[in-house]
Amino acid sequence: MTPTLLGRLQTRLLLLLAVGLPWTGVITPLLPRPSFVSLGIIYRITLEGIATVALVGLAWELAYHTLQQLRFDKDWPSLFALLTIVNESASTWLVLHGLHAIPGSTALSSPILEPFALHFASTWILVWLVTQGPLRVVLLRWRYEGGRIPMAAAARGGPGRHTPYPNPDPASTPFDALTPSPRAAAAYGPAAEQPACRRGHPNPPLALYCSRCGISMRS
Amino acid sequence: MSGENGTTAGGSRQHNAKAAAALWREPIWSDEAVAASGLAISDAPLVSVGGGLGSFALVDFLRIAGAVPENVRVLAPFERPEETYRYLLAASQIAEEDPLRSDSMSRIDNIWGWPGYALQEAVRRRSLGPLWRVLTEPILSEPFSPRPREVFAGLEREARRIDWPSMVARGQVRVVRRRRQGGYFALCDPLPGHATSPAVWRARYVHIAVGYPALRFLPDLQAHRERFGDVHRFANAYEPHEHVYKRLLEGPGSVLVRGGGITASRILQRLIDDRDRHGARTDIFHLLRPELPGSSNPSPLRRPGGAGVRHQSYTFVKAAGGGQARNKVLSLEGEERAAFIKKIGGSTTPRRRLWQRQLSRGRREGWYRIEVAQLRDVALNPEGRISATLERPDGARTPLAVDFVIDATGLEGDIREHGLLSDLLTHGGAATNPLGRLDVDPCFEVRGTRSGDGRIYASGPITLGGYLAPVDSFWGLEHAALEICDDLARQGFCTRIGVRGSIVGWWRWARNTPP
């Protein structure tokens, strides 16, 4: 992937909305949760997690974009897109605690860590998989635009111009190069034994370019 | 037309010229004038001239965008879209199972690029290897490269699906001229061996994708061939030159390979493979141009390189296809754009471990030598070998005698060498860009050639220097096709492929049902 900065931001927001949010809705009730935590609280944590990834992620994208400038190809390998789960999950975990969206300590012993990690990892991998291919089917131009999402479809075009021009000469015959007319065959005779290029240099029968001057034998 | 003049195939051109003589002088043709010349007129709303991968990419898009086969004609000297490509691959020593220089998602037979070639190869070989490569490229592994076998298989399937054969009209387009009432005429010669009269196609839209207009023969190669009539000892990498390898298997020999690009790399591999597997005893001289020193600076901002060679995964930096570099190219004009395109492209070769290992072994064992010099005074010596002088940048001159020279310096010829393009420049209103190729706008319309409601588009290497850098690649052909298809949709020739059309189109692709 060779994203531009705008493409990064748009792709992140779109995918979290279109993939991350529905996935969160489906997966949250299935997450293991400690007995003292209600489903409502877990929903709050996962949804606020998505919101955090969307917002804090905008800053991360700036950092990634800066790092990308160090790459000669100005690309962002798939592996990076997958492995940034490490820093982003940590930042989300800390931010959610800072906002008191997750109660308790940030330590790895937190009982919330398991549902958080399962939700975060599954969402991240799902979004990553979508960018690895299926997104290109939905948004044909996405990969050509550095990840930008075309906001408005271009003009739909005018009246159908797929009809041929009116034919002034109804007697003209359709072109068929494969079946020579006897008259033309008589005129041209058999095929040349040794083809020549436009400048007259002789060449072997299957040559694509003239061996003397390099010009295309088909020009 | 036909009958009274020209009785040999060699006379066919004169014959054609005579019939069209009155027309020939006119830059703009009218229906009446063409009819009066006796040439048969056929109609098609759009014709694509060339019939190779460039035509294929566009026609694939158009079919998916709703164009019916009757509205598209491909004027081509051959029936299958991969024929020229296959020829160039074979000549430059890339076999069916060798890696190309392309990535997994740049699929010439799938406008979405998904599933990529890697997934297809993984399924065919029942191996996770290709998928691991795309996951970890270019950090932990070398970039994945598709193999011709995969590309050809995909092309064949897609050609059948979009009904390619029904759109091909075989012939050789000599000129495209503007039509007084709008649109264009394409004058199509019969193929040698297919005796029939020339014909004229009348079309509103013309797409020109004729590939490489010529091989670039450096003056010394051309002079050598003129002087000695020898095409045997001084070979060009893009011409069939199997005789060189055959002779080198028969006994000890020496060969000089000129060029620092990927084709030179592949030829070196062939020579070394022959040494390793078939016992050839070949001494290899690798000649690099002094004006192109390799970058010795290991900074990630600089292109990595070795002695006289510059390394790069693809012909252009990756972001030239659809990222930051593409945006930059889009924003630049004229000389600035040309300079930037030269900077991110140029003659480079990917760093492949196999090649690195082979070459360093060759240096160690003394049968592979890099010479950074100019080749001078190339001649055939009395024993029939090639004698030459190497002129180093410091002025030192060393004589050299080798059995063969293989020139791999480039597949870039002048577009004026191509009859159709040169006519378009002279009579069609087209112009060249600062890199000497056809000047096209961001939608790949050839500037200056409009005729009423008609348009001429071009794609492929003849458009290098335009608003897209990697025109000469699967990605570039597809990207150009997308831009042209969208422009044609704006004019009502087909529909714009939107979200729904894209998903439906992909589903049909996946099911292998007609678009």
Side-chain angles (χ1 to χ4, degrees):
Chain A
M1 184 56 200
T2 53
T4 58
L5 181 57
L6 190 62
R8 284 178 171 280
L9 303 179
Q10 291 182 351
T11 301
R12 171 174 295 247
L13 295 180
L14 177 86
L15 285 176
L16 285 174
L17 265 175
V19 179
L21 214 51
W23 173 250
T24 301
V26 172
I27 193 73
T28 303
L30 306 175
L31 293 171
R33 61 174 195 268
S35 52
F36 59 89
V37 179
S38 73
L39 182 60
I41 297 218
I42 288 288
Y43 256 121
R44 221 190 113 192
I45 292 172
T46 54
L47 289 173
E48 288 187 5
I50 292 287
T52 308
V53 174
L55 295 176
V56 176
L58 298 182
W60 277 121
E61 293 293 4
L62 265 174
Y64 302 154
H65 181 73
T66 311
L67 283 176
Q68 184 176 303
Q69 303 316 303
L70 299 176
R71 294 187 54 74
F72 178 73
D73 266 320
K74 301 286 181 284
D75 63 336
W76 197 246
S78 296
L79 192 62
F80 289 5
L82 187 60
L83 291 183
T84 40
I85 188 177
V86 176
N87 53 307
E88 294 220 22
S89 60
S91 72
T92 308
W93 179 246
L94 295 177
V95 167
L96 287 182
H97 277 87
L99 296 173
H100 303 293
I102 300 182
S105 95
T106 58
L108 292 183
S109 57
S110 164
I112 306 294
L113 184 63
E114 194 189 352
F116 171 83
L118 279 174
H119 168 251
F120 198 98
S122 61
T123 311
W124 191 270
I125 290 170
L126 186 66
V127 166
W128 177 81
L129 280 175
V130 168
T131 59
Q132 295 307 301
L135 184 58
R136 310 203 287 254
V137 171
V138 180
L139 299 173
L140 177 62
R141 294 162 190 81
W142 175 78
R143 61 177 173 146
Y144 295 105
E145 300 285 337
R148 271 179 297 143
I149 317 292
M151 288 300 170
R156 291 264 155 180
R161 291 235 188 90
H162 50 268
T163 49
Y165 289 114
N167 190 348
D169 177 14
S172 76
T173 47
F175 178 61
D176 183 359
L178 294 175
T179 43
S181 72
R183 202 166 60 136
Y188 285 115
E193 292 278 303
Q194 194 170 37
C197 83
R198 204 151 44 86
R199 299 194 178 116
H201 298 135
N203 273 277
L206 292 174
L208 197 53
Y209 295 97
C210 173
S211 64
R212 193 61 62 83
C213 61
I215 68 170
S216 171
M217 293 293 288
R218 303 196 188 123
S219 85
Chain B
M1 140 113 253
S2 84
E4 57 285 343
N5 38 25
T7 48
T8 64
S12 71
R13 288 191 194 287
Q14 292 156 19
H15 174 92
N16 176 15
K18 193 166 180 183
L23 283 175
W24 214 247
R25 289 186 293 272
E26 295 294 326
I28 297 177
W29 295 357
S30 66
D31 285 338
E32 297 72 30
V34 175
S37 79
L39 291 163
I41 298 181
S42 308
D43 278 295
L46 182 143
V47 297
S48 180
V49 179
L53 297 185
S55 291
F56 187 83
L58 178 66
V59 172
D60 199 17
F61 262 98
L62 293 177
R63 293 282 286 118
I64 292 164
V68 292
E70 296 78 60
N71 285 343
V72 177
R73 282 294 169 268
V74 179
L75 310 183
F78 38 75
E79 219 147 334
R80 299 166 71 96
E82 77 277 15
E83 245 160 79
T84 304
Y85 186 60
R86 205 185 267 277
Y87 177 100
L88 291 171
L89 286 183
S92 56
Q93 301 305 312
I94 298 174
E96 290 239 314
E97 286 294 340
D98 283 337
L100 295 168
R101 191 189 207 181
S102 191
D103 69 358
S104 173
M105 72 164 165
S106 302
R107 279 192 78 140
I108 195 73
D109 61 327
N110 172 329
I111 67 169
W112 304 271
W114 187 71
Y117 284 125
L119 190 57
Q120 183 179 319
E121 193 184 317
V123 170
R124 175 173 67 88
R125 289 172 39 201
R126 294 172 193 283
S127 149
L128 286 176
L131 295 178
W132 174 252
R133 291 263 304 267
V134 273
L135 170 65
T136 55
E137 71 179 13
I139 308 299
L140 302 179
S141 48
E142 286 177 18
F144 170 85
S145 310
R147 293 153 205 281
R149 176 193 290 276
E150 243 64 58
V151 175
F152 293 145
L155 271 170
E156 197 172 328
R157 172 186 186 269
E158 185 67 353
R160 212 176 303 126
R161 189 180 81 90
I162 64 171
D163 205 5
W164 174 263
S166 81
M167 293 179 271
V168 175
R170 294 186 64 190
Q172 179 69 59
V173 174
R174 295 281 309 281
V175 296
V176 172
R177 292 279 172 93
R178 280 184 274 198
R179 174 175 175 265
R180 190 167 302 286
Q181 298 89 337
Y184 308 88
F185 288 107
L187 177 68
C188 202
D189 257 6
L191 297 176
H194 292 288
T196 178
S197 26
V200 164
W201 284 87
R202 178 171 44 201
R204 179 171 279 117
Y205 304 107
V206 176
H207 171 236
I208 300 178
V210 292
Y212 302 96
L215 297 181
R216 186 181 57 177
F217 286 174
L218 293 185
D220 57 359
L221 175 84
Q222 217 157 331
H224 178 85
R225 290 188 169 184
E226 285 294 335
R227 189 167 149 213
F228 299 99
D230 167 41
V231 295
H232 184 75
R233 295 272 172 183
F234 198 157
N236 183 285
Y238 297 98
E239 293 173 331
H241 58 277
E242 195 60 32
H243 65 272
V244 174
Y245 308 106
K246 227 166 135 185
R247 153 66 189 80
L248 290 171
L249 281 180
E250 285 162 6
S254 56
V255 60
L256 183 136
V257 178
R258 174 162 69 177
I262 185 167
T263 305
S265 296
R266 189 60 192 83
I267 282 168
L268 292 172
Q269 186 196 335
R270 167 76 196 262
L271 291 167
I272 299 172
D273 283 350
D274 280 355
R275 272 188 77 97
D276 294 347
R277 291 181 203 157
H278 307 294
R281 282 164 290 160
T282 312
D283 282 320
I284 304 165
F285 297 90
H286 188 186
L287 188 70
L288 297 163
R289 281 180 293 172
E291 66 267 32
L292 265 183
S295 160
S296 53
N297 184 344
S299 150
L301 288 173
R302 295 279 301 273
R303 188 186 336 236
V309 176
R310 302 186 301 165
H311 290 297
Q312 186 162 305
S313 299
Y314 306 104
T315 40
F316 286 93
V317 299
K318 250 195 132 183
Q324 294 178 269
R326 151 77 166 161
N327 281 1
K328 176 128 192 227
V329 173
L330 261 179
S331 72
L332 295 174
E333 289 296 337
E335 294 289 347
E336 275 189 320
R337 193 171 67 227
F340 183 69
I341 288 175
K342 274 190 193 158
K343 195 180 129 198
I344 59 174
S347 192
T348 60
T349 189
R351 192 182 196 94
R352 290 188 183 153
R353 248 168 269 152
L354 170 68
W355 293 347
Q356 298 288 322
R357 274 201 297 266
Q358 283 187 332
L359 297 184
S360 59
R361 184 159 51 87
R363 270 192 295 263
R364 234 179 14 249
E365 296 173 6
W367 43 260
Y368 169 73
R369 249 172 59 199
I370 291 180
E371 297 283 356
V372 178
Q374 292 280 7
L375 201 58
R376 304 273 183 228
D377 316 325
V378 183
L380 270 189
N381 69 14
E383 301 102 78
R385 301 176 77 211
I386 287 197
S387 69
T389 309
L390 294 180
E391 190 183 289
R392 301 219 165 68
D394 59 8
R397 293 167 71 92
T398 325
L400 176 84
V402 287
D403 291 304
F404 296 99
V405 176
I406 303 176
D407 189 37
T409 47
L411 193 55
E412 320 168 353
D414 186 355
I415 65 167
R416 286 183 190 274
E417 307 257 29
H418 196 281
L420 166 62
L421 301 176
S422 130
D423 187 77
L424 205 59
L425 292 168
T426 316
H427 297 293
T432 54
N433 64 26
L435 289 184
R437 313 302 170 86
L438 274 189
D439 186 27
V440 293
D441 78 0
C443 297
F444 289 85
E445 183 186 343
V446 182
R447 282 183 173 144
T449 58
R450 273 202 191 173
S451 169
D453 55 1
R455 303 272 190 282
I456 298 183
Y457 299 93
S459 55
I462 56 174
T463 63
L464 181 72
Y467 296 90
L468 178 71
V471 282
D472 164 24
S473 63
F474 289 166
W475 175 285
L477 294 175
E478 294 269 301
H479 198 158
L482 171 64
E483 300 286 353
I484 298 170
C485 181
D486 278 357
D487 201 47
L488 285 169
R490 280 191 284 275
Q491 296 163 63
F493 176 75
C494 52
T495 51
R496 183 179 189 276
I497 307 175
V499 171
R500 211 176 60 113
S502 181
I503 296 170
V504 171
W506 183 84
W507 181 246
R508 291 192 180 136
W509 179 89
R511 299 279 314 275
N512 200 14
T513 52

